[in-house]
Amino acid sequence: MKLYDFLIPGVVAAAVFSGSAACGKDLPKGKNMSEGVYDVSGKRELFIDDFLIEESRALNFKQHTPVELPSDPGKPIGHYNAIVRKPDGSYFYYFRAEDSVYKGKKYNNHPGEYVGIAASRDGVKWEAPDFKLFPGKPVPGNAVLYGEDVITHNLAPFYDTNPVCKPEERYKAVAGVRETKGLFAYVSADGINWKLAQKEPVINYEPKKNGGHMLDSLNVIFYSETEKCYVMYIRVWKTADKLKGLRSFAKVTSTDFIHWSEPEYLKVNRRGEHLYVSGLAPYARAPHYYVGAATRYFGNRGSATDVALIFSRAGKGIIRPSAEAWIRPGLDPERWLNRMNYITWGMIQETPETLLLYHNRKKLMYRLRTDGFVSLSAGLTTGTLLTRVLERKGGNMEINLSTSAGGGFRMEVCDEKGNAIPGWTFNDMKEFYGDRISFVPEWKGKTFADLPAGKFRLRIRMRECDLYSISFM
């Protein structure tokens, strides 16, 4: 049984999430449906579902809400914002702003718009550079796209890590809405001076095709080192399980940034649930995971919004650790108004221990533990698990975990049949208690690196403990 089968007790039909995990529910005690030996060499694995687990007892998945904090006053407010990390480690914060003086293009009755940039060396303190691109025009100096000949409504930029990318196209973006008849591709050498890659749209606006490509939100895009292609999630009106008439998103891919595949529709919406943007992007510490802060939209509640946490493992389907919201609107009345809760695309590694996310429409940021989206959690009753058969080519192991003062964690390394390897048993490891982002377990002075490469399993015992990730580096 997959965990998503009991996301919503009594309403199994609503559990449509591909590979989802049930927060607060006991893991199944039977065998995981994942097949074959899984190579973990050089990978960090997050505990967002039961992908690594074959047997377990007294464990559940826990979704962790980030802590809301005031942001630096220089952090801009805008629509469909995106953060791009530059090669030197500094950041550009792209935002769509509205200028009531500019009377140019209007989309969906919005006033004139431009795209601006805030810059930061550390991703925390932000300033507005003066690029001087539009002297004498009624836009500030940090405007980079403005006027009749560009699309400013929903620019989705990224830094291209494709090894064959041309230097003059290292920054790429897409932008477009139904009024522009599709999505257009933009390129830039520096992320400031942009030009169209071609005159025609790379994805046409087709309202009658396959549920309709709406496109009028942030169609997030990136180069996937895992899939070796460009990946984009576009807004559509259809899901893979034929839940039509719902705002959702579909996956398209490209090897050249110009020619795109037909949409892959996804199982991601609950019945009757609208999802406005996906927010998906590769997680820097584990790029085979795409992590997204998707906006849930409730039109029958004044178009109120909140944020759901979603994942994709190597681009295969969507994983929702919980059917519930990840970030709620909170006490601020303005955040309960029309479409007020979007998380800026792009996550920042603030310190080795913390991640930062930003709110689009408020001067707010969110701090989260590194890898701390979801944990495999044990309470007072000792929980146990046995992994599926894993394989590695060598290297050591690091674990991200946290216990209470009275909790504990032990692990043993087993052969393919689940028998503990002499010298790497529970009795050879001193029980760990504490809180570490990168705990290296030892068995009487030996580490995982001392074992020969090959196939193995892990058996874990833990009590009052949250296990976030395991890294095999």
Side-chain angles (χ1 to χ4, degrees), residues 16 33 44-45 47 51 115 155 194 197 199 212 219 259 261 286 326 332 378 407 437:
V16 298
M33 292 175 65
R44 175 173 284 105
E45 296 296 329
F47 283 94
F51 180 75
V115 175
L155 187 83
W194 292 88
K199 293 181 179 180
N219 301 283
H259 302 92
S261 66
W326 186 41
D332 182 353
I437 299 296

PDB file of all heavy atoms in Angstrom, residues 16 33 44-45 47 51 115 155 194 197 199 212 219 259 261 286 326 332 378 407 437:
ATOM      1  N   VAL A  16      -5.139  11.878  -4.589  1.00  0.00           N
ATOM      2  CA  VAL A  16      -4.692  11.709  -5.966  1.00  0.00           C
ATOM      3  C   VAL A  16      -3.215  12.032  -6.134  1.00  0.00           C
ATOM      4  O   VAL A  16      -2.730  12.124  -7.246  1.00  0.00           O
ATOM      5  CB  VAL A  16      -5.505  12.624  -6.906  1.00  0.00           C
ATOM      6  CG1 VAL A  16      -6.951  12.245  -6.864  1.00  0.00           C
ATOM      7  CG2 VAL A  16      -5.325  14.093  -6.539  1.00  0.00           C
ATOM      8  N   MET A  33       6.432  -0.580  -2.308  1.00  0.00           N
ATOM      9  CA  MET A  33       6.152  -0.968  -3.687  1.00  0.00           C
ATOM     10  C   MET A  33       7.282  -0.591  -4.643  1.00  0.00           C
ATOM     11  O   MET A  33       7.278  -0.993  -5.795  1.00  0.00           O
ATOM     12  CB  MET A  33       4.849  -0.324  -4.149  1.00  0.00           C
ATOM     13  CG  MET A  33       3.623  -0.857  -3.441  1.00  0.00           C
ATOM     14  SD  MET A  33       2.109   0.005  -3.904  1.00  0.00           S
ATOM     15  CE  MET A  33       1.975  -0.448  -5.634  1.00  0.00           C
ATOM     16  N   ARG A  44      22.014  12.864  -1.676  1.00  0.00           N
ATOM     17  CA  ARG A  44      21.358  13.151  -0.400  1.00  0.00           C
ATOM     18  C   ARG A  44      19.886  12.819  -0.565  1.00  0.00           C
ATOM     19  O   ARG A  44      19.236  13.305  -1.484  1.00  0.00           O
ATOM     20  CB  ARG A  44      21.534  14.624  -0.011  1.00  0.00           C
ATOM     21  CG  ARG A  44      20.767  15.014   1.252  1.00  0.00           C
ATOM     22  CD  ARG A  44      21.110  16.411   1.696  1.00  0.00           C
ATOM     23  NE  ARG A  44      22.409  16.460   2.346  1.00  0.00           N
ATOM     24  CZ  ARG A  44      23.515  16.944   1.813  1.00  0.00           C
ATOM     25  NH1 ARG A  44      23.487  17.432   0.581  1.00  0.00           N
ATOM     26  NH2 ARG A  44      24.656  16.954   2.470  1.00  0.00           N
ATOM     27  N   GLU A  45      19.367  11.988   0.310  1.00  0.00           N
ATOM     28  CA  GLU A  45      17.981  11.548   0.220  1.00  0.00           C
ATOM     29  C   GLU A  45      17.155  12.181   1.334  1.00  0.00           C
ATOM     30  O   GLU A  45      17.525  12.114   2.510  1.00  0.00           O
ATOM     31  CB  GLU A  45      17.891  10.020   0.309  1.00  0.00           C
ATOM     32  CG  GLU A  45      18.561   9.301  -0.853  1.00  0.00           C
ATOM     33  CD  GLU A  45      17.897   9.595  -2.192  1.00  0.00           C
ATOM     34  OE1 GLU A  45      16.661   9.832  -2.195  1.00  0.00           O
ATOM     35  OE2 GLU A  45      18.603   9.594  -3.221  1.00  0.00           O
ATOM     36  N   PHE A  47      13.611  12.537   3.513  1.00  0.00           N
ATOM     37  CA  PHE A  47      12.523  11.667   3.965  1.00  0.00           C
ATOM     38  C   PHE A  47      11.193  12.385   3.793  1.00  0.00           C
ATOM     39  O   PHE A  47      10.610  12.913   4.743  1.00  0.00           O
ATOM     40  CB  PHE A  47      12.760  11.234   5.410  1.00  0.00           C
ATOM     41  CG  PHE A  47      13.797  10.151   5.514  1.00  0.00           C
ATOM     42  CD1 PHE A  47      15.126  10.476   5.747  1.00  0.00           C
ATOM     43  CD2 PHE A  47      13.459   8.827   5.329  1.00  0.00           C
ATOM     44  CE1 PHE A  47      16.094   9.484   5.818  1.00  0.00           C
ATOM     45  CE2 PHE A  47      14.416   7.825   5.392  1.00  0.00           C
ATOM     46  CZ  PHE A  47      15.742   8.155   5.638  1.00  0.00           C
ATOM     47  N   PHE A  51       9.898   6.122  -0.124  1.00  0.00           N
ATOM     48  CA  PHE A  51      10.668   5.626  -1.251  1.00  0.00           C
ATOM     49  C   PHE A  51      11.816   4.712  -0.816  1.00  0.00           C
ATOM     50  O   PHE A  51      12.110   3.710  -1.483  1.00  0.00           O
ATOM     51  CB  PHE A  51      11.209   6.809  -2.056  1.00  0.00           C
ATOM     52  CG  PHE A  51      12.023   6.442  -3.251  1.00  0.00           C
ATOM     53  CD1 PHE A  51      11.413   5.957  -4.403  1.00  0.00           C
ATOM     54  CD2 PHE A  51      13.405   6.580  -3.244  1.00  0.00           C
ATOM     55  CE1 PHE A  51      12.159   5.614  -5.520  1.00  0.00           C
ATOM     56  CE2 PHE A  51      14.160   6.244  -4.359  1.00  0.00           C
ATOM     57  CZ  PHE A  51      13.541   5.756  -5.498  1.00  0.00           C
ATOM     58  N   VAL A 115       9.624  45.191 -15.003  1.00  0.00           N
ATOM     59  CA  VAL A 115      10.374  44.221 -14.205  1.00  0.00           C
ATOM     60  C   VAL A 115      11.590  44.925 -13.623  1.00  0.00           C
ATOM     61  O   VAL A 115      12.368  45.559 -14.352  1.00  0.00           O
ATOM     62  CB  VAL A 115      10.817  43.010 -15.047  1.00  0.00           C
ATOM     63  CG1 VAL A 115      11.710  42.083 -14.218  1.00  0.00           C
ATOM     64  CG2 VAL A 115       9.604  42.250 -15.558  1.00  0.00           C
ATOM     65  N   LEU A 155       7.591  37.402 -16.105  1.00  0.00           N
ATOM     66  CA  LEU A 155       8.928  36.946 -16.455  1.00  0.00           C
ATOM     67  C   LEU A 155       9.409  35.917 -15.438  1.00  0.00           C
ATOM     68  O   LEU A 155       9.407  36.160 -14.238  1.00  0.00           O
ATOM     69  CB  LEU A 155       9.896  38.125 -16.491  1.00  0.00           C
ATOM     70  CG  LEU A 155      11.291  37.774 -17.017  1.00  0.00           C
ATOM     71  CD1 LEU A 155      11.299  37.804 -18.545  1.00  0.00           C
ATOM     72  CD2 LEU A 155      12.340  38.743 -16.458  1.00  0.00           C
ATOM     73  N   TRP A 194      18.211  42.168 -21.545  1.00  0.00           N
ATOM     74  CA  TRP A 194      17.501  41.016 -22.082  1.00  0.00           C
ATOM     75  C   TRP A 194      17.101  41.253 -23.539  1.00  0.00           C
ATOM     76  O   TRP A 194      16.832  42.379 -23.948  1.00  0.00           O
ATOM     77  CB  TRP A 194      16.237  40.746 -21.264  1.00  0.00           C
ATOM     78  CG  TRP A 194      16.511  40.282 -19.877  1.00  0.00           C
ATOM     79  CD1 TRP A 194      16.701  41.065 -18.774  1.00  0.00           C
ATOM     80  CD2 TRP A 194      16.650  38.940 -19.431  1.00  0.00           C
ATOM     81  NE1 TRP A 194      16.932  40.293 -17.660  1.00  0.00           N
ATOM     82  CE2 TRP A 194      16.902  38.971 -18.025  1.00  0.00           C
ATOM     83  CE3 TRP A 194      16.555  37.695 -20.064  1.00  0.00           C
ATOM     84  CZ2 TRP A 194      17.073  37.821 -17.279  1.00  0.00           C
ATOM     85  CZ3 TRP A 194      16.733  36.540 -19.315  1.00  0.00           C
ATOM     86  CH2 TRP A 194      16.993  36.610 -17.936  1.00  0.00           C
ATOM     87  N   ALA A 197      14.867  35.522 -27.712  1.00  0.00           N
ATOM     88  CA  ALA A 197      15.638  34.478 -28.386  1.00  0.00           C
ATOM     89  C   ALA A 197      15.150  34.289 -29.818  1.00  0.00           C
ATOM     90  O   ALA A 197      15.931  33.919 -30.695  1.00  0.00           O
ATOM     91  CB  ALA A 197      15.529  33.162 -27.616  1.00  0.00           C
ATOM     92  N   LYS A 199      11.479  35.633 -32.514  1.00  0.00           N
ATOM     93  CA  LYS A 199      10.295  36.476 -32.593  1.00  0.00           C
ATOM     94  C   LYS A 199       9.006  35.727 -32.278  1.00  0.00           C
ATOM     95  O   LYS A 199       8.034  36.330 -31.825  1.00  0.00           O
ATOM     96  CB  LYS A 199      10.197  37.108 -33.986  1.00  0.00           C
ATOM     97  CG  LYS A 199      11.307  38.107 -34.291  1.00  0.00           C
ATOM     98  CD  LYS A 199      11.129  38.716 -35.672  1.00  0.00           C
ATOM     99  CE  LYS A 199      12.220  39.730 -35.964  1.00  0.00           C
ATOM    100  NZ  LYS A 199      12.061  40.340 -37.312  1.00  0.00           N
ATOM    101  N   GLY A 212      -6.293  23.421 -22.048  1.00  0.00           N
ATOM    102  CA  GLY A 212      -5.950  24.837 -22.140  1.00  0.00           C
ATOM    103  C   GLY A 212      -4.658  25.207 -21.451  1.00  0.00           C
ATOM    104  O   GLY A 212      -4.454  24.913 -20.289  1.00  0.00           O
ATOM    105  N   ASN A 219       5.378  30.616 -14.915  1.00  0.00           N
ATOM    106  CA  ASN A 219       5.652  29.310 -15.512  1.00  0.00           C
ATOM    107  C   ASN A 219       7.119  28.980 -15.238  1.00  0.00           C
ATOM    108  O   ASN A 219       8.001  29.280 -16.047  1.00  0.00           O
ATOM    109  CB  ASN A 219       5.360  29.352 -17.005  1.00  0.00           C
ATOM    110  CG  ASN A 219       3.917  29.734 -17.280  1.00  0.00           C
ATOM    111  OD1 ASN A 219       3.011  28.940 -17.145  1.00  0.00           O
ATOM    112  ND2 ASN A 219       3.704  31.000 -17.650  1.00  0.00           N
ATOM    113  N   HIS A 259      12.291  24.386 -28.588  1.00  0.00           N
ATOM    114  CA  HIS A 259      11.290  23.380 -28.963  1.00  0.00           C
ATOM    115  C   HIS A 259      10.919  22.564 -27.724  1.00  0.00           C
ATOM    116  O   HIS A 259      11.789  21.966 -27.082  1.00  0.00           O
ATOM    117  CB  HIS A 259      11.840  22.470 -30.065  1.00  0.00           C
ATOM    118  CG  HIS A 259      12.257  23.204 -31.293  1.00  0.00           C
ATOM    119  ND1 HIS A 259      13.559  23.660 -31.474  1.00  0.00           N
ATOM    120  CD2 HIS A 259      11.559  23.596 -32.392  1.00  0.00           C
ATOM    121  CE1 HIS A 259      13.645  24.281 -32.634  1.00  0.00           C
ATOM    122  NE2 HIS A 259      12.447  24.270 -33.209  1.00  0.00           N
ATOM    123  N   SER A 261       8.249  19.849 -25.469  1.00  0.00           N
ATOM    124  CA  SER A 261       7.426  18.650 -25.548  1.00  0.00           C
ATOM    125  C   SER A 261       5.953  18.987 -25.320  1.00  0.00           C
ATOM    126  O   SER A 261       5.604  20.073 -24.850  1.00  0.00           O
ATOM    127  CB  SER A 261       7.880  17.637 -24.493  1.00  0.00           C
ATOM    128  OG  SER A 261       7.614  18.148 -23.189  1.00  0.00           O
ATOM    129  N   ALA A 286      20.339  18.624  -3.009  1.00  0.00           N
ATOM    130  CA  ALA A 286      19.918  17.342  -3.570  1.00  0.00           C
ATOM    131  C   ALA A 286      19.171  17.634  -4.861  1.00  0.00           C
ATOM    132  O   ALA A 286      17.940  17.595  -4.907  1.00  0.00           O
ATOM    133  CB  ALA A 286      19.037  16.585  -2.570  1.00  0.00           C
ATOM    134  N   TRP A 326       1.013  24.297   3.947  1.00  0.00           N
ATOM    135  CA  TRP A 326       2.343  24.394   4.545  1.00  0.00           C
ATOM    136  C   TRP A 326       2.522  25.753   5.218  1.00  0.00           C
ATOM    137  O   TRP A 326       3.053  25.844   6.320  1.00  0.00           O
ATOM    138  CB  TRP A 326       3.394  24.193   3.460  1.00  0.00           C
ATOM    139  CG  TRP A 326       4.809  24.119   3.927  1.00  0.00           C
ATOM    140  CD1 TRP A 326       5.281  23.476   5.032  1.00  0.00           C
ATOM    141  CD2 TRP A 326       5.950  24.688   3.276  1.00  0.00           C
ATOM    142  NE1 TRP A 326       6.648  23.598   5.113  1.00  0.00           N
ATOM    143  CE2 TRP A 326       7.086  24.335   4.047  1.00  0.00           C
ATOM    144  CE3 TRP A 326       6.124  25.431   2.117  1.00  0.00           C
ATOM    145  CZ2 TRP A 326       8.384  24.721   3.690  1.00  0.00           C
ATOM    146  CZ3 TRP A 326       7.417  25.815   1.750  1.00  0.00           C
ATOM    147  CH2 TRP A 326       8.525  25.464   2.537  1.00  0.00           C
ATOM    148  N   ASP A 332      -2.309  38.693   9.665  1.00  0.00           N
ATOM    149  CA  ASP A 332      -2.404  39.915   8.874  1.00  0.00           C
ATOM    150  C   ASP A 332      -3.650  39.857   7.986  1.00  0.00           C
ATOM    151  O   ASP A 332      -3.737  39.020   7.074  1.00  0.00           O
ATOM    152  CB  ASP A 332      -1.150  40.057   8.014  1.00  0.00           C
ATOM    153  CG  ASP A 332      -1.129  41.336   7.194  1.00  0.00           C
ATOM    154  OD1 ASP A 332      -2.136  42.064   7.186  1.00  0.00           O
ATOM    155  OD2 ASP A 332      -0.093  41.593   6.536  1.00  0.00           O
ATOM    156  N   ALA A 378       9.540   9.859  15.112  1.00  0.00           N
ATOM    157  CA  ALA A 378       9.170   8.881  16.143  1.00  0.00           C
ATOM    158  C   ALA A 378       8.834   9.624  17.422  1.00  0.00           C
ATOM    159  O   ALA A 378       9.457  10.631  17.754  1.00  0.00           O
ATOM    160  CB  ALA A 378      10.309   7.902  16.393  1.00  0.00           C
ATOM    161  N   GLY A 407      15.346  11.636  23.866  1.00  0.00           N
ATOM    162  CA  GLY A 407      15.232  10.779  22.693  1.00  0.00           C
ATOM    163  C   GLY A 407      16.543  10.121  22.333  1.00  0.00           C
ATOM    164  O   GLY A 407      17.564  10.278  23.013  1.00  0.00           O
ATOM    165  N   ILE A 437      22.981  18.853  11.720  1.00  0.00           N
ATOM    166  CA  ILE A 437      22.698  18.907  10.288  1.00  0.00           C
ATOM    167  C   ILE A 437      23.508  17.839   9.559  1.00  0.00           C
ATOM    168  O   ILE A 437      23.070  17.276   8.557  1.00  0.00           O
ATOM    169  CB  ILE A 437      23.029  20.294   9.709  1.00  0.00           C
ATOM    170  CG1 ILE A 437      22.170  21.376  10.388  1.00  0.00           C
ATOM    171  CG2 ILE A 437      22.827  20.334   8.197  1.00  0.00           C
ATOM    172  CD1 ILE A 437      20.683  21.249  10.134  1.00  0.00           C
TER     173      ILE A 437
END
